[in-house]
Amino acid sequence: MRSDFDLVDVSILTDKIIFDIRYATYRNFFKRRFYIDERCLLRYGTAKKLIKANEYLLKLGFKLKVWDAYRPLSVQRIMWEAVKNEDYIAPPWRGSIHNRGAAVDVTLVDINNKEVEMPSDFDDFSERASINYT
């Protein structure tokens, strides 16, 4: 029996979410690979909520695309050294909920897997990516 705190690969639990784990590629702000594979690791409890949200979106003609999920603290340290801006990257001495497997970076896609336009792209460290951006 899984605990809600166990890390799981979400792609094993569902095939209805798109996974484009950008830090497993060079297609990110840092232009480097941080992960050796494109697994989407999350706490089981968080994964269940993500799947439930996606099931709701499917009824509306959309679905989720995941860009990032669990992030090791070693990666957090490298990101912090490059950006050092707490508005976008948590300092490693505090860490983030990404480091705990409870955060996920997502966007919406339509039924044809075309991304829905958002104010910013993934890894945009500008005002448009701010939580307070209107």
Side-chain angles (χ1 to χ4, degrees):
M1 175 112 174
R2 287 187 177 128
S3 158
D4 278 351
F5 297 98
D6 291 340
L7 280 180
V8 297
D9 183 346
V10 182
S11 69
I12 292 171
L13 303 176
T14 183
D15 62 356
K16 299 196 180 344
I17 294 175
I18 297 174
F19 301 98
D20 181 11
I21 308 301
R22 293 288 182 92
Y23 294 133
T25 74
Y26 293 94
R27 293 176 302 122
N28 59 65
F29 173 83
F30 302 95
K31 305 284 190 261
R32 67 178 283 190
R33 288 182 66 192
F34 291 106
Y35 309 146
I36 59 171
D37 58 41
E38 292 197 42
R39 290 184 302 155
C40 174
L41 299 176
L42 286 173
R43 287 182 178 181
Y44 183 56
T46 304
K48 290 188 295 187
K49 292 172 188 171
L50 184 73
I51 291 166
K52 186 175 182 177
N54 194 63
E55 288 170 355
Y56 173 79
L57 290 167
L58 285 168
K59 294 174 187 171
L60 301 175
F62 299 95
K63 59 184 162 181
L64 293 172
K65 178 190 263 190
V66 176
W67 283 331
D68 194 27
Y70 167 72
R71 182 183 307 149
L73 193 53
S74 59
V75 172
Q76 193 74 25
R77 285 187 191 103
I78 296 167
M79 290 178 171
W80 174 255
E81 286 304 313
V83 176
K84 289 190 180 170
N85 182 334
E86 289 190 47
D87 290 338
Y88 304 105
I89 302 285
W93 57 86
R94 187 181 75 226
S96 79
I97 54 177
H98 274 290
N99 306 134
R100 295 166 181 86
V104 61
D105 295 343
V106 299
T107 195
L108 288 174
V109 297
D110 66 19
I111 206 68
N112 298 313
N113 296 337
K114 183 177 182 237
E115 288 183 16
V116 175
E117 185 176 351
M118 297 289 170
S120 67
D121 196 6
F122 176 71
D123 259 4
D124 183 336
F125 300 119
S126 72
E127 180 186 355
R128 292 177 312 180
S130 169
I131 195 169
N132 298 316
Y133 186 71
T134 56

